[in-house]
Amino acid sequence: MATFKDLALQYVLSDDEPAQLEIVKKAAQEIESSGANRTVVGNWAASVQPWMSRDQPGDEDLVEDGEDVGNGDIISRSKALAFLAGTLEALDKSLLRTDQVTFLVGFFGSMFSYDHKSGITASTQALQQLQVMKAFKPSLGVKMVEDLLKLKEDFRLQTAATRLEIYKLLSTLLHDESVSSELQHKYGASCGFVVDLLQLCQHERDPRNLMVWFKIQADLLRDYSPSPEVTEEIFKAFSAYFPISLRSSATPIGITAQDLKLAVRQCFSAHHRLASHAFSFLLQKLDQGDAVTVAVKVDILQTIEACITNYENPQVSVVPYIEKLWNSLKYEVRNGEVKETIDATLDVLRAIANRLDGSKTQKQDVSLLRDYIDLVFKDCREDLGNPTYTKQAGLLVTTVITSNIRSYMLESSNLIECLRKNLVSPKSPAHTKDLVLLLNSVLTARSHLIEKRKEGHPADQEDLKGELKSHSANTVYDMLSGVWVSIPNKSDCLLDPDENKQTIELLKQVIKGLALLATQVIVREQGDIALLCSEKILSSISGHLIHILVLRLPLAYRDPSYVGKTENSYTLEEEAQTALRDVVGVYLPAYEDFVQRATDEILGYNWGEAHGRTVFGLIELKNLLSRLAYVGCSRLPINIPSDVANPKPFSALNHLVTFLAAAIDLLPLVLVKPDEDDITEQKEQWANLYVLSAIHSGLLFFHRECVAKYTAEALLADRSVGGNWVEELDRLPNNWLQLLRSDEMTDVAPDQMAVDGPSVFGRYLRFGMFLTKYLYRQAVTGASLIWTESMIEQVGDIATAVVRRLTEEEQVSHKLAREAFELFNGRTSSAEHTLLLTRGILTGLWPAAMSELYTPDGPAEKYLCNVPVFAISTMHQIEIHASISLILTDRYKGGPSTADPEYQVIKRVLHFWGEKLKEACASADMKPQSMELLSFLAMKVFTGAAARQDKHARQLAQVLEEALVNDNANADILARATGILVEHSYVLSAENHAIVGRLYHQWVYNFIASPLLQRGLPGGGSPAAAKRFRTAALCIISGSSFGVFEADLQQVVRLVIVALNDEDEPTPAAAEQFTTPLQVLHDIINEDPDSLKGHIKPIIDGLLKAHRWGYRTVAKAGLDKTPTKVLLASKIALDVLGQLPLKFEHRHLLAYIPKVERIMAETCGHPSRQIRGVAREVRARWLKIN
Amino acid sequence: MASADIQNANPTILSVSQLPTRLEGRISANKGAHCEYDNVVFRDRDWLKDLMKEHAGDDSAGEPLDEQEVYDLISVISDPEHPHTLGELNVVRLPDIHVTPPPRNNPKGLGNVQVELTPTINHCSLATVIGLAVRVRLEQTLPPNYRIDVRMKDGSHAQDDQVNKQLGDKERVAAALENDSLKGVLDNMMKPCFA
């Protein structure tokens, strides 16, 4: 006794929650150790006596020692009871015996009658614990409910938290099956206790409590069988809250208005016995018209939908109210303007149709659904003929009819017939468009229903088999083609879209409809699907779409007045292109037709003259070729049976092969003119280039589609390396793709097309390799009047696109590293122009596939140490040479078990180029042009190694240190070339399997640029050498991001200021002296303007100096002869100048306003339009300074 | 401005596609799904752009200030009473802009820009404000060696003589810009220029 008393006292005196927890655990252990001995439990219960009033019921049992402490204070008493509740929580739930539980329920239950101030929370918590005791009896649950109801008016005086505990207890009790049946047994069907409960809780406003209270009401309706009167009382209780909202509060409570809405909605839809009350109540609210906001309207509609979906026995709960519902709802769509309301209404109408149809396991009587659809159709039929309401009526009727398969089968033919009649005599073009739109939505819904047919009742699938195939296809096609034919001159739409906007919109809908019709399927007797349309219809549909796609080419080629009309949009063609892509996906001959028609059209013109006539012809040629690639290669076709007499067996590769074969056949579209000096500049060759670029696009589209459909992992998993393709493909004729296209290939490499699933990708790569080999041979041995350098470069890119998709093992197996130099011709080519082809293959190779090149003194080393004759080379030639060198130094992997176990090859190569640079800078013997080329090439060699973070590349720092001290022009050139080390290059992308260290730029900065910083500042050594070091460092810094050099920011800022204010102005060729510090400054001002705060004057002076130098250079040389980098210097200087008013307080800039304004006003007359534009912006920003 | 004060409540509005632009801009807008890989396939070999430049007859010796550029500068000014630009309302028209550049041998010599405005109605009382906005915009964006002449097109305004006189009088223009409320109106009109 003493122990429990002490514990209770400690608990009451303690405010520390963990300490209280410890105390109750001790008490619980005490009871448990005694095995719930009656005396011990009694002592425990009596331990709170000092805080209880003497006149409390049951205290005659509790009071043992006659201690009287009076009423005590409320808080202490509350805590004392909490001690008991806490002990119960900590106690083993199977320990107490029935009589003890009964006694405790009685004790705590009595608190609801006598201690409204302090005992409720703790008693409720205690009862919650007792309710889960093993010895708990259902009759005790009934007692608890009755005790709770005794709170009456005092309930609402309790705090929200106390009420929440009570709601939780009630919810648990009413949800407990045994208590529930005991309650129903005691109170019978009338559920009389519910009325008292409703009275008890009728004033609840707290959102958290409401959530539980609504759940209790929904449970009462769902799990109990209240009499109609009680049901009505419950309905009144929760419907009083509808529509519910929530005031925004500064302290979020974790409950949203949407949670409350859903909780009330669950009450409405809890049981179908509420139907009569719910529907009339909700419709009455809905019919208040404008008095209801959109959000409330949507809430009402969603609540109606929930009722319809959840009520059981629809004959009783839904059918009687359908007419009433329809009569109210139809106006929400017919006259509605708000999308949310219309969508919610359509959801309700769809829900009714689905409810009347039945469930997946049980169908309702068909007459219910038929009557409903008739009701809807009857009201909408007339509106379909009225242009004002066509759209709305169509929405209503199509929503209902396409809700499920049964309703579709019942009435779709009537709807289509009704649309047909209206289309025969439309009231206006907009009416026609609306009708076609409706037809399209019926077709879309039909596809969706058929797709989901297996998810529904088995009867649905049987119903679909009965669909009249030929009738529906012919009728719909006649309707669409009728509209199509009624627009005779479609070229007007392309030429003058502004005048034909309405017609274009109509045509777009018709095109959509045609594609939807062509892709419709029908369920056959066997249960599988087949195409709905006949070959004749499919052929006509594709003919219409192809017509649109080839229409523009002759207009652009022939019509001289076509110029100026091209600002029109291409929406019609884009719609047709998407539609045709869908059609060729199921009806394969359509693509063959498209290719045939397009190539006939293309070959009908002399592209050698095109440029002389109009460039728009060439633009449309490019568009048409790209469309051929897109339509045929961007989606894999699907094999759907049909009555089409296809001359070729189905293959997912059909379109790809057709496209590639046709594109190859188009080459050459034009021969360049041999009498002109520079054939690379001839525009005519672009016709050929567009053919190659279309092939390239086609390959990329196909790859993307394969990845999207099967995932990249599946494409890799489903491949076997299988021998050397190059050798295998060698045995095939040159016209292999053409033979495959015409399906004449029977004896050589059979079954190339007969694959499915992810293996399609393996075949795609095989075709790609064949194409690469074919084009490479043509390019190496073909006529130079076709295979210009641009063409060869494009062929190289195609090779990259194919080669990089091969795995490492495949590349090794096909010996592609060797082929990169032999170009599929069996011997190494020495011709200059073939370097582009070499680069094409090398770019896509994995490092491991190139390892055989790196044997000491092997192909890679020989190539890398081969110094071109710079005196007779052009920059373009060296660029190509250097890009290969870059790949070779980047993909290198030396070490044990490789061809270069001692890591010597690249070390020797880098040393070789380092020495070359030092030699060249040591004297002024080399001409500046040659030095430019040498430094470019050498830097590219170093870049490849630096990207890998190869330690041997660090020697470049030492090379620069020694080379840049030389006082000659070659050293200047070398200093300007260092930026190449961090220049972006597409061959260094991850997609091309390049080895690029994660900290590549940081690495270059730390090991190459950072040692130069100090040498670049004035003070040490000769000013000319300092300038070179400065330039070299800034060239690297300007190509790096801010984070790379942030640690040395102050030093970099000083370097930038010195560089900008250098007294010697550079020549135009040496514009890096300005562009690099300006670029760095641009980065700094955007990332950390505060670091520049103390240097505003020298910065503005430097910016204006750089800009004026640029302006003078342009004025002197003319815009066309000014190097781009000079204009770039001006532009960045102005950009930074424009940033100053945004980044600094205006007081720092006031002194410079007149100077800047004067120069900016003058710059508004700069010869370059772009610079003028920037100057205007800067001027406006400085004008705002006050 | 209150809707009751609107003088021409239903002006004709041109769509963006109807406004004059440079040819290059129009062509580059043609990008459908079939052109998705153009940037990969063509990389930096922008043949089409070169072709268009050449076709558009760009003067490769320079990009002198021309009528289209002046049009681009002023057509984006917002109308004081409608939420449309002067270009969309056809108040500013490309054929009514005349640019005389400085002599070739003396780029800093005098040039001339003349703009004729066409109010949406011939008794528009805001014509002066519109003219003033055009003038201010040009003064702030053209180099100082250009003479600016903004006027109403002949016959387009009932009092075009008076309006032209006001717009041509430098002192009256300067005085108008001292007026804070008028300056506020002009600032609002200029907002789209800096968007």
Side-chain angles (χ1 to χ4, degrees):
Chain A
M1 179 69 195
T3 316
F4 285 125
K5 261 192 170 180
D6 290 347
L7 289 174
L9 186 61
Q10 282 172 26
Y11 189 96
V12 171
L13 293 176
S14 169
D15 283 328
D16 182 26
E17 224 170 277
Q20 288 177 338
L21 199 64
E22 280 305 310
I23 295 167
V24 294
K25 272 184 186 165
K26 269 187 202 165
Q29 276 166 2
E30 197 71 28
I31 297 170
E32 280 167 11
S33 61
S34 73
N37 178 289
R38 184 178 162 75
T39 319
V40 175
V41 174
N43 288 345
W44 164 73
S47 65
V48 298
Q49 182 55 30
W51 296 278
M52 310 307 285
S53 62
R54 183 182 286 278
D55 57 351
Q56 251 184 298
D59 57 359
E60 56 275 16
D61 295 327
L62 290 165
V63 178
E64 283 183 6
D65 55 4
E67 231 179 289
D68 184 6
V69 288
N71 281 331
D73 69 286
I74 293 167
I75 295 171
S76 304
R77 194 160 72 241
S78 168
K79 281 171 105 176
L81 286 167
F83 167 69
L84 296 182
T87 312
L88 284 174
E89 190 177 353
L91 202 62
D92 179 3
K93 299 292 180 286
S94 58
L95 195 68
L96 293 186
R97 289 189 297 276
T98 310
D99 60 324
Q100 290 167 327
V101 173
T102 311
F103 161 69
L104 288 169
V105 169
F107 170 67
F108 289 112
S110 67
M111 292 295 153
F112 295 106
S113 311
Y114 298 102
D115 194 357
H116 295 166
K117 285 184 180 168
S118 60
I120 305 301
T121 311
S123 300
T124 312
Q125 283 166 346
L127 289 175
Q128 281 171 355
Q129 297 307 320
L130 290 167
Q131 194 260 327
V132 291
M133 294 278 175
K134 198 176 174 187
F136 178 78
K137 296 278 177 252
S139 56
L140 292 175
V142 177
K143 180 169 173 9
M144 282 186 193
V145 173
E146 286 168 351
D147 285 342
L148 284 170
L149 293 176
K150 286 176 188 160
L151 264 175
K152 292 191 177 160
E153 284 301 307
D154 287 321
F155 177 75
R156 65 195 178 99
L157 301 177
Q158 302 298 321
T159 64
T162 306
R163 295 203 304 275
L164 182 61
E165 293 301 325
I166 297 174
Y167 282 122
K168 280 181 185 167
L169 176 62
L170 273 170
S171 176
T172 323
L173 288 170
L174 295 174
H175 208 256
D176 187 308
E177 270 182 35
S178 54
V179 178
S180 152
S181 62
E182 191 70 24
L183 273 168
Q184 291 189 61
H185 175 71
K186 183 167 182 185
Y187 288 95
S190 66
C191 293
F193 73 95
V194 176
V195 180
D196 293 338
L197 190 59
L198 293 171
Q199 274 174 358
L200 186 77
C201 309
Q202 64 186 336
H203 297 295
E204 188 56 63
R205 286 287 179 274
D206 183 82
R208 262 180 297 220
N209 295 352
L210 279 173
M211 289 296 290
V212 190
W213 175 225
F214 288 140
K215 186 179 174 301
I216 292 171
Q217 293 178 83
D219 286 345
L220 284 171
L221 287 161
R222 198 180 300 116
D223 303 335
Y224 293 71
S225 310
S227 64
E229 293 76 23
V230 176
T231 304
E232 193 177 347
E233 286 305 315
I234 301 175
F235 180 77
K236 276 182 193 164
F238 69 74
S239 65
Y241 290 94
F242 189 87
I244 196 160
S245 59
L246 184 66
R247 265 201 305 272
S248 56
S249 158
T251 49
I253 48 165
I255 289 171
T256 62
Q258 191 59 25
D259 295 334
L260 288 169
K261 279 180 189 176
L262 282 174
V264 178
R265 201 169 293 157
Q266 274 169 5
C267 292
F268 273 97
S269 63
H271 198 276
H272 66 264
R273 68 171 68 89
L274 284 171
S276 61
H277 303 297
F279 287 130
S280 45
F281 173 85
L282 292 167
L283 287 178
Q284 193 190 351
K285 289 262 179 204
L286 188 70
D287 291 342
Q288 285 172 0
D290 293 341
V292 187
T293 64
V294 172
V296 171
K297 223 172 216 184
V298 171
D299 190 13
I300 297 170
L301 289 163
Q302 287 176 342
T303 308
I304 295 177
E305 188 194 344
C307 293
I308 291 165
T309 312
N310 295 335
Y311 287 166
E312 285 170 8
N313 198 1
Q315 284 98 326
V316 183
S317 61
V318 179
V319 173
Y321 311 101
I322 286 180
E323 197 165 345
K324 210 171 164 191
L325 283 166
W326 167 247
N327 285 334
S328 284
L329 294 179
K330 65 183 174 188
Y331 293 108
E332 294 300 328
V333 176
R334 193 174 188 266
N335 305 329
E337 288 167 356
V338 184
K339 189 179 176 299
E340 286 83 358
T341 321
I342 293 175
D343 287 347
T345 312
L346 294 176
D347 285 343
V348 176
L349 295 175
R350 199 176 290 118
I352 297 175
N354 287 333
R355 204 74 189 87
L356 298 180
D357 176 40
S359 66
K360 195 175 172 180
T361 48
Q362 193 192 358
K363 286 272 179 191
Q364 300 290 343
D365 182 12
V366 71
S367 64
L368 300 176
L369 186 59
R370 185 180 287 131
D371 292 347
Y372 170 56
I373 297 174
D374 285 347
L375 174 72
V376 174
F377 207 2
K378 189 180 76 189
D379 278 1
C380 294
R381 191 189 296 270
E382 211 168 292
D383 277 354
L384 286 173
N386 180 349
T388 317
Y389 295 111
T390 310
K391 214 174 192 172
Q392 294 85 330
L395 257 182
L396 287 166
V397 77
T398 48
T399 301
V400 171
I401 287 178
T402 59
S403 298
N404 51 62
I405 291 175
R406 198 195 242 182
S407 56
Y408 180 82
M409 295 304 294
L410 279 173
E411 286 292 339
S412 64
S413 52
N414 283 345
L415 172 61
I416 290 175
E417 182 58 21
C418 181
L419 294 175
R420 190 191 66 77
K421 279 184 186 161
N422 281 301
L423 266 176
V424 171
S425 50
K427 307 285 190 301
S428 66
H431 189 209
T432 313
K433 195 187 106 190
D434 288 344
L435 290 167
V436 175
L437 206 68
L438 288 177
L439 187 59
N440 290 353
S441 59
V442 173
L443 291 171
T444 310
R446 184 184 179 280
S447 297
H448 186 70
L449 288 173
I450 292 188
E451 207 175 298
K452 305 271 173 195
R453 68 192 183 281
K454 287 182 179 158
E455 293 170 15
H457 195 276
D460 289 341
Q461 206 159 337
E462 290 305 311
D463 281 355
L464 281 171
K465 289 179 189 168
E467 202 180 8
L468 288 174
K469 178 183 172 180
S470 58
H471 173 74
S472 49
N474 288 338
T475 314
V476 175
Y477 178 71
D478 288 346
M479 288 159 72
L480 291 168
S481 73
V483 181
W484 183 268
V485 173
S486 69
I487 304 166
N489 202 352
K490 292 166 188 75
S491 55
D492 289 349
C493 298
L494 304 184
L495 291 174
D496 209 347
D498 288 330
E499 286 300 310
N500 295 285
K501 271 182 192 162
Q502 214 167 21
T503 316
I504 289 175
E505 284 308 308
L506 176 57
L507 271 176
K508 276 167 72 178
Q509 288 308 324
V510 176
I511 287 170
K512 255 187 201 155
L514 288 171
L516 282 167
L517 176 61
T519 51
Q520 291 295 316
V521 292
I522 193 157
V523 181
R524 296 201 288 197
E525 272 307 313
Q526 308 88 296
D528 63 341
I529 53 165
L531 282 182
L532 171 72
C533 295
S534 64
E535 182 169 15
K536 194 178 158 199
I537 293 179
L538 289 167
S539 171
S540 303
I541 289 175
S542 53
H544 290 327
L545 300 176
I546 293 166
H547 174 71
I548 292 291
L549 291 175
V550 298
L551 197 55
R552 202 185 282 264
L553 186 67
L555 297 173
Y557 188 92
R558 289 199 193 114
D559 184 0
S561 64
Y562 186 80
V563 181
K565 291 173 184 168
T566 49
E567 73 269 23
N568 59 35
S569 57
Y570 282 73
T571 53
L572 198 57
E573 277 122 318
E574 271 154 31
E575 196 69 61
Q577 155 185 302
T578 313
L580 188 60
R581 186 178 72 150
D582 293 345
V583 174
V584 303
V586 293
Y587 173 61
L588 273 57
Y591 188 65
E592 187 69 48
D593 291 348
F594 180 37
V595 171
Q596 199 56 51
R597 184 79 194 278
T599 49
D600 287 351
E601 199 69 54
I602 291 167
L603 292 170
Y605 304 106
N606 180 356
W607 294 102
E609 288 178 4
H611 179 245
R613 293 168 66 92
T614 158
V615 294
F616 296 99
L618 275 175
I619 291 169
E620 293 315 326
L621 171 71
K622 185 238 161 204
N623 275 332
L624 184 54
L625 286 164
S626 300
R627 289 186 207 286
L628 276 176
Y630 177 78
V631 171
C633 306
S634 68
R635 182 76 58 83
L636 288 171
I638 313 164
N639 190 10
I640 301 177
S642 66
D643 64 357
V644 175
N646 197 340
K648 283 199 272 185
F650 173 83
S651 166
L653 292 156
N654 269 342
H655 296 341
L656 177 72
V657 170
T658 305
F659 168 69
L660 294 178
I664 290 174
D665 279 345
L666 280 177
L667 284 172
L669 276 179
V670 67
L671 297 176
V672 291
K673 298 187 185 77
D675 52 336
E676 292 196 9
D677 292 340
D678 188 358
I679 55 172
T680 56
E681 293 300 315
Q682 286 185 35
K683 312 293 185 287
E684 287 78 0
Q685 62 166 325
W686 292 346
N688 293 338
L689 282 167
Y690 287 144
V691 177
L692 285 181
S693 63
I695 291 177
H696 193 174
S697 298
L699 293 170
L700 295 174
F701 279 129
F702 196 90
H703 168 255
R704 187 183 65 181
E705 167 66 2
C706 287
V707 173
K709 193 162 180 179
Y710 302 116
T711 73
E713 291 74 31
L715 297 183
L716 272 179
D718 203 67
R719 290 231 297 275
S720 53
V721 177
N724 184 338
W725 285 1
V726 180
E727 283 171 11
E728 287 169 29
L729 295 171
D730 252 348
R731 293 193 285 275
L732 297 171
N734 274 345
N735 62 344
W736 184 49
L737 289 173
Q738 287 86 336
L739 291 171
L740 285 174
R741 179 188 178 189
S742 57
D743 199 37
E744 287 172 20
M745 202 69 177
T746 50
D747 49 348
V748 188
D751 300 331
Q752 287 300 311
M753 310 285 278
V755 285
D756 205 5
S759 359
V760 164
F761 190 66
R763 294 294 160 85
Y764 152 80
L765 289 174
R766 216 177 164 82
F767 293 141
M769 278 305 294
F770 176 82
L771 184 80
T772 304
K773 187 180 74 71
Y774 171 81
L775 290 173
Y776 265 53
R777 284 190 178 165
Q778 293 289 313
V780 173
T781 59
S784 61
L785 300 185
I786 305 164
W787 297 101
T788 59
E789 193 180 292
S790 303
M791 290 284 282
I792 291 175
E793 191 174 10
Q794 187 60 264
V795 170
D797 286 354
I798 290 175
T800 307
V802 175
V803 168
R804 69 173 166 223
R805 303 293 171 215
L806 296 167
T807 61
E808 210 170 273
E809 294 76 23
E810 284 169 332
Q811 291 182 350
V812 172
S813 169
H814 309 330
K815 298 188 171 61
L816 289 180
R818 198 181 68 195
E819 296 298 347
F821 291 94
E822 295 186 354
L823 308 175
F824 307 104
N825 278 287
R827 59 181 187 281
T828 307
S829 169
S830 56
E832 186 72 28
H833 67 280
T834 56
L835 282 180
L836 285 165
L837 298 174
T838 301
R839 185 180 74 183
I841 296 179
L842 285 180
T843 304
L845 290 184
W846 290 90
M850 291 169 66
S851 64
E852 67 175 271
L853 298 176
Y854 295 101
T855 47
D857 210 24
E861 190 170 355
K862 275 185 185 155
Y863 185 90
L864 286 166
C865 293
N866 172 28
V867 184
V869 185
F870 294 117
I872 56 165
S873 302
T874 63
M875 187 50 154
H876 181 63
Q877 286 166 332
I878 296 300
E879 273 173 1
I880 298 165
H881 187 103
S883 60
I884 295 174
S885 300
L886 172 62
I887 298 168
L888 288 173
T889 48
D890 175 64
R891 313 280 167 93
Y892 167 77
K893 268 190 176 171
S897 78
T898 67
D900 180 23
E902 305 292 324
Y903 296 99
Q904 291 301 310
V905 173
I906 295 299
K907 187 180 171 187
R908 277 199 297 269
V909 169
L910 296 177
H911 182 258
F912 172 80
W913 283 104
E915 290 303 311
K916 277 268 164 209
L917 288 174
K918 282 194 274 187
E919 271 172 39
C921 291
S923 70
D925 293 348
M926 190 177 259
K927 285 184 179 171
Q929 289 85 346
S930 297
M931 184 62 198
E932 295 260 3
L933 304 182
L934 167 66
S935 349
F936 181 84
L937 180 53
M939 283 301 161
K940 283 285 181 187
V941 171
F942 274 101
T943 304
R948 275 189 293 114
Q949 296 173 208
D950 186 331
K951 63 179 179 187
H952 299 303
R954 290 188 208 165
Q955 63 180 286
L956 181 61
Q958 188 57 37
V959 171
L960 292 174
E961 191 94 358
E962 291 175 30
L964 297 184
V965 289
N966 293 300
D967 209 2
N968 62 43
N970 287 349
D972 289 344
I973 292 169
L974 175 62
R976 292 201 299 272
T978 52
I980 292 167
L981 288 170
V982 285
E983 236 175 38
H984 167 76
S985 168
Y986 86 99
V987 299
L988 287 184
S989 65
E991 195 182 32
N992 287 328
H993 321 305
I995 310 176
V996 181
R998 283 181 65 196
L999 299 173
Y1000 153 40
H1001 282 194
Q1002 188 76 54
W1003 190 92
V1004 172
Y1005 175 78
N1006 279 350
F1007 291 109
I1008 317 288
S1010 187
L1012 307 176
L1013 290 181
Q1014 199 54 43
R1015 308 273 317 254
L1017 290 170
S1022 81
K1027 185 174 171 181
R1028 278 190 288 276
F1029 284 115
R1030 199 158 54 231
T1031 307
L1034 286 172
C1035 280
I1036 294 172
I1037 294 171
S1038 67
S1040 311
S1041 60
F1042 178 76
V1044 169
F1045 59 87
E1046 193 177 4
D1048 300 327
L1049 191 55
Q1050 279 313 317
Q1051 215 168 356
V1052 173
V1053 169
R1054 285 175 63 203
L1055 214 60
V1056 165
I1057 290 170
V1058 173
L1060 284 177
N1061 291 285
D1062 198 321
E1063 281 185 12
D1064 296 334
E1065 287 188 344
T1067 59
E1072 286 84 356
Q1073 185 184 321
F1074 278 142
T1075 52
T1076 50
L1078 286 169
Q1079 271 165 344
V1080 177
L1081 191 59
H1082 192 270
D1083 283 353
I1084 296 174
I1085 202 164
N1086 281 316
E1087 300 287 345
D1088 188 0
D1090 286 348
S1091 62
L1092 303 173
K1093 218 175 221 170
H1095 311 282
I1096 290 182
K1097 184 181 181 323
I1099 286 174
I1100 293 180
D1101 287 346
L1103 291 171
L1104 293 176
K1105 186 182 166 99
H1107 165 61
R1108 277 188 298 217
W1109 166 80
Y1111 202 164
R1112 274 200 308 277
T1113 310
V1114 178
K1116 203 187 288 174
L1119 188 60
D1120 60 328
K1121 293 197 175 64
T1122 307
T1124 320
K1125 50 190 179 182
V1126 174
L1127 293 174
L1128 185 67
S1130 264
K1131 185 179 175 296
I1132 306 173
L1134 293 180
D1135 274 340
V1136 177
L1137 209 54
Q1139 289 288 318
L1140 295 176
L1142 306 179
K1143 304 284 182 185
F1144 296 110
E1145 286 177 37
H1146 289 176
R1147 65 192 167 92
H1148 297 304
L1149 306 174
L1150 290 173
Y1152 313 101
I1153 294 175
K1155 196 174 177 184
V1156 173
E1157 276 188 359
R1158 194 179 64 250
I1159 294 173
M1160 286 308 104
E1162 196 185 328
T1163 312
C1164 287
H1166 195 282
S1168 159
R1169 189 173 295 127
Q1170 197 186 5
I1171 303 273
R1172 286 202 294 271
V1174 182
R1176 281 177 203 131
E1177 274 181 43
V1178 179
R1179 198 176 167 186
R1181 283 187 197 163
W1182 278 75
L1183 265 178
K1184 284 183 189 159
I1185 295 179
N1186 44 41
Chain B
M1 195 165 288
S3 58
D5 296 335
I6 290 181
Q7 297 177 23
N8 181 8
N10 292 306
T12 310
I13 314 290
L14 299 180
S15 68
V16 177
S17 65
Q18 290 171 302
L19 301 180
T21 53
R22 287 189 195 282
L23 194 58
E24 291 158 57
R26 297 205 295 262
I27 296 299
S28 62
N30 166 29
K31 288 282 176 199
H34 64 292
C35 302
E36 222 166 303
Y37 282 115
D38 275 7
N39 60 337
V40 181
V41 171
F42 295 111
R43 267 192 283 140
D44 51 353
R45 300 180 292 258
D46 202 348
W47 307 319
L48 193 66
K49 202 174 166 190
D50 293 347
L51 201 65
M52 290 318 304
K53 265 193 175 171
E54 192 178 299
H55 183 82
D58 272 10
D59 184 357
S60 59
E63 299 161 337
L65 184 83
D66 58 8
E67 286 79 3
Q68 180 66 52
E69 191 167 339
V70 174
Y71 179 85
D72 291 342
L73 289 173
I74 57 177
S75 64
V76 286
I77 298 172
S78 176
D79 185 82
E81 64 175 6
H82 293 291
H84 295 287
T85 63
L86 298 183
E88 287 167 350
L89 292 168
N90 220 9
V91 173
V92 173
R93 299 170 186 193
L94 187 61
D96 295 338
I97 298 174
H98 307 285
V99 177
T100 316
R104 265 182 184 275
N105 54 2
N106 179 16
K108 290 192 177 171
L110 202 60
N112 191 47
V113 171
Q114 189 190 58
V115 179
E116 291 179 328
L117 302 174
T118 311
T120 54
I121 43 167
N122 73 348
H123 54 275
C124 179
S125 66
L126 293 166
T128 324
V129 178
I130 293 173
L132 192 61
V134 170
R135 193 183 173 96
V136 169
R137 173 75 177 143
L138 289 176
E139 276 174 0
Q140 288 176 353
T141 52
L142 294 184
N145 59 328
Y146 272 82
R147 198 206 319 256
I148 296 160
D149 183 12
V150 179
R151 49 198 299 114
M152 296 296 123
K153 198 173 179 181
D154 281 349
S156 67
H157 197 273
Q159 296 169 314
D160 50 4
D161 280 350
Q162 284 181 34
V163 176
N164 291 344
K165 207 171 169 185
Q166 281 183 23
L167 291 173
D169 188 333
K170 277 186 186 175
E171 283 180 10
R172 287 172 78 172
V173 169
L177 294 178
E178 297 289 317
N179 181 329
D180 281 347
S181 64
L182 188 56
K183 202 160 178 304
V185 173
L186 292 182
D187 284 346
N188 273 336
M189 292 172 74
M190 299 289 184
K191 267 182 191 163
C193 305
F194 305 111

